[in-house]
């Protein structure tokens, strides 16, 4: 299999680099930790490593060194398609090189041979109360498949440490192949007739997702490709990536780790913000019976802030400029849905809210993040049930975190176990 061969070929050099760095320069300091950081969610503490993605505070995400606009230009596209193949992105995340069309197609082929979702997964989901949140269903579906883990099986049979990554790759391919079908089923179970639309092996992942969702509006395949590419990875410190790494570091398999990641993504300060965003936009729209005036929007935003709530989709722990993932979606909307009323509202919010957040003076970053506009695009294509949106984020995010999990195994990253202190210890260290 091409992914296995490519990773295998790189391993000797990577292992040597890392071993040398730690052995010869292990004492070199890369930063200090302050009392404020210990109490402040470890913000900015340099304590994780990944070579798959890096968030620059001004430029945003680089996936294997490429910005979002570069990726949308360079990753291979099917004939006539506007957006690249998602399989090409997964190849890039795992291998570190922009694939040729043929290489991306090989990943598609791998996914196509692994998409079959065991029927018990659907039965588990059908057995849940009808009002269960889609993210709970998604996380449960992933966890329910843990018994399928090749890593868990081979580990218990006896496996050399340097070979751990191979079954992790198998598991990751199996899981990422099934996620679009599972997500589409959750959508149809919650909001449609609950029937399963099987994937069409002739289609790529983006088009297949549109097909399995039952969305017929033209262009949803392109939006799905864009969505799954831009949400995939955002370095290691965000909650879903870190949860995957933490759980995986105990040698839990990808099903346990990815399910944990989804539980974190389901938090309103993380991935759930995308459902909150459209909710907030629709509240504004409904309150004013259409796109409000700038003054009405300003008053509404201040009411939100003064009631102690955040403005969803704005702010970021690392970014200090408009998120390029927002910009890519904004460009897509400008091209394909310029007359959509909610897009007009989202644009007005973009013109207005950063100024308000600056005036309030609390948020370190007043600019929009990836979630501020994603729901606007979804609702245009008919996917209006916004509590489903984080599930789509999850399908994409698991591509990023699983690629990281494969490399964490390949480079023998150990169990994670930072040290905690007590408040008296910190007071003493601070001389109080
Ligand atoms: N609206 C109102 N207040 C905000 C704000 C926003 N959009 N963003 C930050 N603030 C506030 C914080 O709540 C905090 O207030 P406090 O001092 O009273 O606790 C203060 O500004 C300082 O926060 P910060 O250092 O700028 O941000 P952070 O690193 O602590 O948190 C984030 C980052 C994203 C959680 C925060 O900006 C936020 O809550 N945004 C809205 C929710 C959102 O969009 N989340 C999605 C993030 C992207 C993702 O993971 N998918």
């Amino acid at each position: 299999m091409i992914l296995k061969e490519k990773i295998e070929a790189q391993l000797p050099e990577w292992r040597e680099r890392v071993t040398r760095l730690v052995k010869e320069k292990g004492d070199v300091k890369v930063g200090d930790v302050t009392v404020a950081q210990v109490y402040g969610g470890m913000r900015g503490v340099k304590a994780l490593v990944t070579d798959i993605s890096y968030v620059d505070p001004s430029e945003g995400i680089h996936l294997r060194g490429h910005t979002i606009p570069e990726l949308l230009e360079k990753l291979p596209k099917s004939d006539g398609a506007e957006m690249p193949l998602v399989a090409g992105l997964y190849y890039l995340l795992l291998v570190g090189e922009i694939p040729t069309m043929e290489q991306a197609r090989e990943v598609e082929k791998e996914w196509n041979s692994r998409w079959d979702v065991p029927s018990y997964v659907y039965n588990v989901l059908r057995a849940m109360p009808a009002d269960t949140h889609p993210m709970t269903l998604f996380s449960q579906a992933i966890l329910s498949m843990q018994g399928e883990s090749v890593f868990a099986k081979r580990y218990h049979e006896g496996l050399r440490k340097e070979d751990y990554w191979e079954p992790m790759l198998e598991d990751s391919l199996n899981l990422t192949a099934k996620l679009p079908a599972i997500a589409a089923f959750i959508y149809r179970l919650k909001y449609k007739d609950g029937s399963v639309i099987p994937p069409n092996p002739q289609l790529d992942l983006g088009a297949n997702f549109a097909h399995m969702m039952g969305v017929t509006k033209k262009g949803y395949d392109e939006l799905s490709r864009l969505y799954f590419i831009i949400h995939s990875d955002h370095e290691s410190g965000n909650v879903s990536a870190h949860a995957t790494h933490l759980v995986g570091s105990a040698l839990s398999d990808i099903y346990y780790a990815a399910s944990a990641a989804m539980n974190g993504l389901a938090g309103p300060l993380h991935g759930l913000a995308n459902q909150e965003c459209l909710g907030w936009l629709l509240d504004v729209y409904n309150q004013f019976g259409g796109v409000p005036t700038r003054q009405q929007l300003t008053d509404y935003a201040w009411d939100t802030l003064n009631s102690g709530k955040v403005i969803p989709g704005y702010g970021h722990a690392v970014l200090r400029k408009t998120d390029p993932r927002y910009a890519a979606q904004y460009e897509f909307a400008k091209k394909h849905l310029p007359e959509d009323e909610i897009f007009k509202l989202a644009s007005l919010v973009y013109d207005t809210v950063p100024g308000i957040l600056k005036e309030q003076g609390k948020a370190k970053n007043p600019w929009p993040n990836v979630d501020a506009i994603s729901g606007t695009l979804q609702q245009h294509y008919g996917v209006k049930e916004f509590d489903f949106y984080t599930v789509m984020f999850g399908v994409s995010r698991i591509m990023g975190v699983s690629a990281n999990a494969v490399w964490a195994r390949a480079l023998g990253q150990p169990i994670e176990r930072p040290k905690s202190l007590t408040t008296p210890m910190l007071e003493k260290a601070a001389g109080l």
Side-chain angles (χ1 to χ4, degrees):
M1 187 228 297
I2 189 159
L3 292 169
K4 195 174 152 206
E5 284 159 25
K6 287 277 179 182
I7 294 173
E8 204 157 34
Q10 295 177 28
L11 277 180
E13 194 196 326
W14 271 108
R15 284 178 173 153
E16 198 189 314
R17 268 174 84 175
V18 174
T19 308
R20 177 166 176 232
L21 187 62
V22 175
K23 204 168 155 200
E24 293 178 16
K25 301 286 175 190
D27 292 339
V28 171
K29 277 193 174 186
V30 289
D32 294 312
V33 182
T34 65
V35 170
Q37 286 174 313
V38 173
Y39 269 104
M42 296 189 279
R43 198 74 80 259
V45 174
K46 297 179 185 118
L48 297 165
V49 59
T50 174
D51 290 286
I52 294 182
S53 64
Y54 178 74
V55 180
D56 180 277
S58 302
E59 288 180 15
I61 186 67
H62 290 69
L63 295 166
R64 291 291 196 173
H66 304 279
T67 63
I68 295 286
E70 284 165 7
L71 284 178
L72 297 182
E73 199 200 311
K74 289 183 193 167
L75 286 172
K77 299 178 179 107
S78 301
D79 284 346
E82 182 185 343
M83 291 294 156
L85 290 168
V86 183
L89 171 89
Y90 201 47
Y91 181 102
L92 173 74
L93 296 176
L94 280 162
V95 172
E97 297 158 11
I98 300 272
T100 61
M101 180 54 122
E102 203 185 318
Q103 289 166 331
R105 289 277 182 219
E106 290 216 27
V107 178
E108 284 284 349
K109 250 182 15 212
E110 285 295 333
W111 276 340
N112 274 335
S113 67
R114 297 161 188 260
W115 67 263
D116 207 6
V117 178
S119 56
Y120 64 76
V121 176
Y122 294 143
N123 292 337
V124 166
L125 299 181
R126 285 192 187 106
M128 292 300 293
D131 61 355
T132 307
H133 192 278
M135 278 304 279
T136 313
L137 297 177
F138 192 52
S139 175
Q140 267 172 327
I142 294 167
L143 193 58
S144 76
M145 293 188 290
Q146 189 279 326
E148 311 282 333
S149 172
V150 182
F151 176 83
K153 185 164 175 282
R154 287 192 41 201
Y155 180 80
H156 289 294
E157 285 167 0
L159 185 63
R160 291 179 323 152
K161 197 173 175 189
E162 53 270 38
D163 297 333
Y164 284 176
W165 67 276
E166 286 181 43
M168 199 68 170
L169 177 63
E170 278 296 311
D171 280 350
S172 295
L173 280 164
N174 287 335
L175 178 60
T176 50
K178 294 175 187 2
L179 292 179
I182 292 172
F185 175 70
I186 290 172
Y187 181 72
R188 298 185 58 76
L189 178 68
K190 287 253 350 162
Y191 314 111
K192 304 290 168 190
D193 63 2
S195 60
V196 178
I197 303 178
N200 174 350
Q202 305 304 319
L203 300 178
D204 68 282
L205 186 141
N208 237 330
F209 180 70
H211 161 72
M212 291 186 288
M213 289 278 287
V215 175
T216 47
K217 192 162 179 167
K218 200 170 167 310
Y220 193 62
D221 51 351
E222 297 287 11
L223 176 61
S224 300
R225 292 181 190 114
L226 172 66
Y227 194 99
F228 291 141
I229 287 172
I230 63 177
H231 286 80
S232 59
D233 206 27
H234 217 231
E235 69 174 41
S236 298
N238 68 76
V239 172
S240 49
H242 193 193
T244 309
H245 182 70
L246 175 65
V247 173
S249 81
L251 296 188
S252 299
D253 57 63
I254 197 66
Y255 296 92
Y256 281 125
S259 175
M262 293 305 99
N263 300 339
L265 196 71
L269 295 187
H270 191 22
L272 205 78
N274 64 4
Q275 80 165 52
E276 309 272 302
C277 280
L278 189 65
W280 192 81
L281 290 177
L282 292 179
D283 285 348
V284 175
Y285 193 83
N286 293 335
Q287 162 120 358
F288 298 106
V291 180
T293 63
R294 187 181 290 270
Q295 188 54 50
Q296 285 171 326
L297 178 63
T298 302
D299 294 344
Y300 194 94
W302 275 114
D303 284 349
T304 301
L305 293 174
N306 291 336
S307 67
K309 294 186 193 148
V310 295
I311 302 206
Y314 282 74
H316 200 270
V318 178
L319 281 170
R320 293 297 174 257
K321 290 265 170 68
T322 295
D323 190 333
R325 302 172 299 173
Y326 174 93
Q329 295 178 91
Y330 184 88
E331 289 306 317
F332 187 94
K334 227 167 65 183
K335 183 163 172 199
H336 295 289
L337 43 134
E339 294 310 321
D340 185 285
E341 287 274 285
I342 303 299
F343 174 56
K344 287 183 181 165
L345 171 57
S347 304
L348 183 64
V349 172
Y350 184 34
D351 281 346
T352 312
V353 159
I356 295 171
L357 286 173
K358 278 187 206 163
E359 194 180 329
Q360 190 203 28
K362 271 171 66 174
K364 291 190 190 67
N365 174 33
W367 301 106
N369 60 54
V370 63
D371 297 322
I373 199 170
S374 57
T376 300
L377 278 69
Q378 291 293 331
Q379 62 84 37
H380 178 81
Y381 288 91
V383 182
K384 294 178 193 273
E385 301 82 357
F386 49 79
D387 55 358
F388 178 70
Y389 293 169
T390 316
V391 173
M392 290 184 282
F393 193 155
V395 171
S396 173
R397 180 49 55 95
I398 293 175
M399 290 181 200
V401 299
S402 63
N404 276 280
V406 170
W407 275 93
R409 289 281 195 276
L411 297 177
Q413 291 196 357
I415 187 164
E416 196 178 293
R417 198 350 179 152
K419 181 80 186 87
S420 55
L421 299 167
T422 63
T423 299
M425 287 173 189
L426 287 171
E427 284 169 341
K428 193 169 165 215
L432 293 179

